[in-house]
């Protein structure tokens, strides 16, 4: 089990929820947490399973707007967690398809999260792309946070510089 660090809050109030179907998703989902933490934004990470803890998932999703502005939800295989959460909240939900031990090459996870019906969007990032989910969540928060938007601009500029500096021998 990945235990204690799954319930981590950086500051007093919470802004971004990072939820996942299993603690086996955490090594991947941690990349979202790491980026959000580096931006000094508050987050809470927890396991919420659509299949194993459906009542808890319902309670979490129905009350999420009281504690969070954005939800990042990752799952693998029959990955119903992001879509079910999106069906129960008006908050933006970013889905992370995970290539898990029960996944068939990741396609099941990807399509389960991506192919939502009209009216219930999940902003789906690439397979295992939890870092991009963290970046996107911060970009959403930055709409109302100038300091964060400046940090994101600095991050993008650093990325650009690192690409331009690359030398092929
Ligand atoms: C999904 O099943 C989880 O999100 C995870 O990706 C996958 C496997 O879960 P474990 O059997 O490792 O707990 O619900």
């Amino acid at each position: 089990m990945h235990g204690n660090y799954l319930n981590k809050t950086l500051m007093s109030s919470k802004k971004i929820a990072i939820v996942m179907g299993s603690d086996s998703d955490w090594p991947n989902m941690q990349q979202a947490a790491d980026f959000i933490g580096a931006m000094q934004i508050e987050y809470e990470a927890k396991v919420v399973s659509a299949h194993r803890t459906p009542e808890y998932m319902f309670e979490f999703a129905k009350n999420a707007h009281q504690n969070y502005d954005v939800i990042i939800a990752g799952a693998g295989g029959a990955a119903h967690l992001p879509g079910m959460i999106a069906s129960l909240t008006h908050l933006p939900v970013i889905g992370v398809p995970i290539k898990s031990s029960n996944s068939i090459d990741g396609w099941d996870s990807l399509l389960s999260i991506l192919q939502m019906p009209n009216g219930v969007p999940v902003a789906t990032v690439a397979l295992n792309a939890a870092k991009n989910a963290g970046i996107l969540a911060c970009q959403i928060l930055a709409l109302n946070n100038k300091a964060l938007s400046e940090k994101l601009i600095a991050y993008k500029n650093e990325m650009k510089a690192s690409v331009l500096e690359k030398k092929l021998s």
Side-chain angles (χ1 to χ4, degrees):
M1 298 290 283
H2 296 279
N4 296 337
Y5 52 74
L6 287 176
N7 285 309
K8 179 179 175 187
T9 306
L10 283 185
M11 294 181 209
S12 52
S13 63
K14 301 168 186 68
K15 282 286 189 184
I16 298 176
I18 304 173
V19 296
M20 62 215 81
S22 168
D23 61 346
S24 65
D25 298 321
W26 175 244
N28 195 299
M29 296 301 289
Q30 192 168 16
Q31 295 169 44
D34 288 347
F35 184 86
I36 293 164
M39 292 287 122
Q40 296 182 295
I41 295 297
E42 308 139 38
Y43 70 89
E44 188 172 56
K46 54 176 73 185
V47 174
V48 181
S49 170
H51 303 124
R52 292 166 175 158
T53 63
E55 295 88 358
Y56 178 50
M57 180 214 62
F58 184 90
E59 184 193 330
F60 167 82
K62 287 302 278 183
N63 297 313
H65 62 280
Q66 293 170 15
N67 298 312
Y68 311 109
D69 290 327
V70 182
I71 300 171
I72 297 172
H80 295 131
L81 181 66
M84 286 307 299
I85 289 175
S87 76
L88 293 161
T89 182
H90 60 277
L91 296 180
V93 176
I94 302 170
V96 184
I98 305 282
K99 186 176 173 184
S100 55
S101 60
N102 63 329
S103 173
I104 304 169
D105 263 353
W107 283 108
D108 41 9
S109 323
L110 178 67
L111 296 175
S112 298
I113 296 176
L114 184 68
Q115 290 301 116
M116 289 296 291
N118 281 336
V120 192
V122 171
T124 309
V125 296
L127 193 67
N128 293 333
K131 182 175 180 179
N132 268 0
I135 295 171
L136 183 54
C138 288
Q139 287 175 328
I140 292 169
L141 292 188
L143 292 170
N144 291 308
N145 183 332
K146 193 164 187 302
L148 177 58
S149 111
E150 281 164 7
K151 284 182 196 167
L152 287 167
I153 290 167
Y155 168 76
K156 299 268 179 182
N157 284 337
E158 277 171 32
M159 183 170 58
K160 184 162 53 180
S162 77
V163 170
L164 294 174
E165 281 165 13
K166 285 188 194 300
K167 293 194 173 33
L168 303 177
S169 52

